[in-house]
Amino acid sequence: MEDIDAIAALQDPVRRRLYEYVVAQGREVGRNEAAEAAGVARTLAAHHLDRLTEAGLLESGSRRLTGRSGPGAGRPAKVYTRARAERAVSLPARDYRTAAELLAEAAEQAGLDAGLCAAARRRGEALRGSAAPCGGLEEAMAMLAARGYEPHLESTGGVQDAEGAEPATAEAGTVVRMRNCPFHAVAERFPPLVCGMNLALLEGLFGTDGPVRARMDARPGECCVVVENSKNNLH
């Protein structure tokens, strides 16, 4: 019931806007920033952000947003990030995670990595259907967002959508990174197997002879795959 109560907390439209904004930033967000993004007063934003924290959907802390320290730096402000715990609801109760972990364990022990990747690539192709290979990074981001990957553009020189930076554009010199891995729970236990499956799935989804390509580039806290223009140099 705790998961149901947590998800029910998002029923309020203001609370949901605040949650979605914090999640989309991939960093700590202060109350003033969140309030401005949601178009509500700071006191109302603070109330809803704390409710989301109580529900286990956000985590809170404090830091000085000015970046300064010592006398005159100001008091630390409360900041919020997405909670690390996962929430899922199934009525009646189902346990697909255990089944997925058992299947992954059996596949890994039997050395079925190649067969799993081939199946994942076929599934990606089936999801794409008769459509042509993905036409570019903007299209790739839309496809990834629809599948829950939470994509964002990043310059090869650093994150483009960080606070105070100019928004990124899908041009040469940028890659698409993903803040969420839909297979995270199983990937934590069987990273080579599941990350390889994930890469093969996206290769099938995007096509291997189009303007974009997927490649492995694992980074803590994000999906192990990045998507880039095919003309980019291989790393």
Side-chain angles (χ1 to χ4, degrees):
M1 295 300 292
E2 289 183 1
D3 283 354
I4 294 177
D5 292 338
I7 293 172
L10 296 172
Q11 184 175 2
D12 183 283
V14 173
R15 198 172 298 158
R16 182 159 185 167
R17 289 204 305 272
L18 288 165
Y19 174 77
E20 290 175 343
Y21 179 78
V22 172
V23 166
Q25 305 317 301
R27 56 177 171 79
E28 294 177 330
V29 175
R31 287 172 167 175
N32 288 339
E33 179 187 348
E36 183 177 353
V40 298
R42 182 184 183 279
T43 52
L44 181 60
H47 166 74
H48 285 307
L49 289 167
D50 286 340
R51 286 290 302 275
L52 289 166
T53 303
E54 293 169 5
L57 295 171
L58 296 180
E59 294 178 357
S60 64
S62 62
R63 68 176 176 87
R64 289 187 173 91
L65 299 179
T66 61
R68 303 196 305 270
S69 61
R75 296 175 57 187
K78 200 163 188 178
V79 292
Y80 302 84
T81 57
R82 180 176 28 202
R84 286 164 286 186
E86 295 182 11
R87 301 288 182 177
V89 174
S90 177
L91 298 173
R94 298 286 188 261
D95 191 4
Y96 299 114
R97 175 173 175 174
T98 297
E101 290 178 348
L102 289 171
L103 290 168
E105 182 178 357
E108 187 173 76
Q109 291 179 353
L112 299 178
D113 304 54
L116 177 62
C117 287
R121 192 170 289 107
R122 289 194 299 270
R123 175 58 63 91
E125 292 169 351
L127 291 171
R128 177 161 50 95
S130 59
C134 184
L137 293 185
E138 293 287 359
E139 184 180 338
M141 288 186 68
M143 296 169 72
L144 291 166
R147 303 201 63 79
Y149 282 91
E150 296 182 6
H152 65 99
L153 284 167
E154 180 176 301
S155 166
T156 53
V159 176
Q160 291 291 295
D161 59 351
E163 184 177 9
E166 292 295 325
T169 55
E171 300 173 350
T174 63
V175 298
V176 177
R177 289 193 176 271
M178 295 159 267
R179 293 193 173 100
N180 182 52
C181 171
F183 316 110
H184 173 73
V186 187
E188 277 195 318
R189 289 197 57 190
F190 308 96
L193 182 77
V194 178
C195 291
M197 176 199 76
N198 187 25
L199 175 61
L201 177 71
L202 295 181
E203 287 175 340
L205 184 64
F206 296 140
T208 56
D209 55 354
V212 303
R213 70 180 182 117
R215 63 175 173 86
M216 200 75 74
D217 187 14
R219 192 162 74 176
E222 295 192 348
C223 178
C224 58
V225 177
V226 299
V227 180
E228 64 188 1
N229 291 310
S230 296
K231 62 184 179 181
N232 289 357
N233 293 328
L234 295 175
H235 295 285

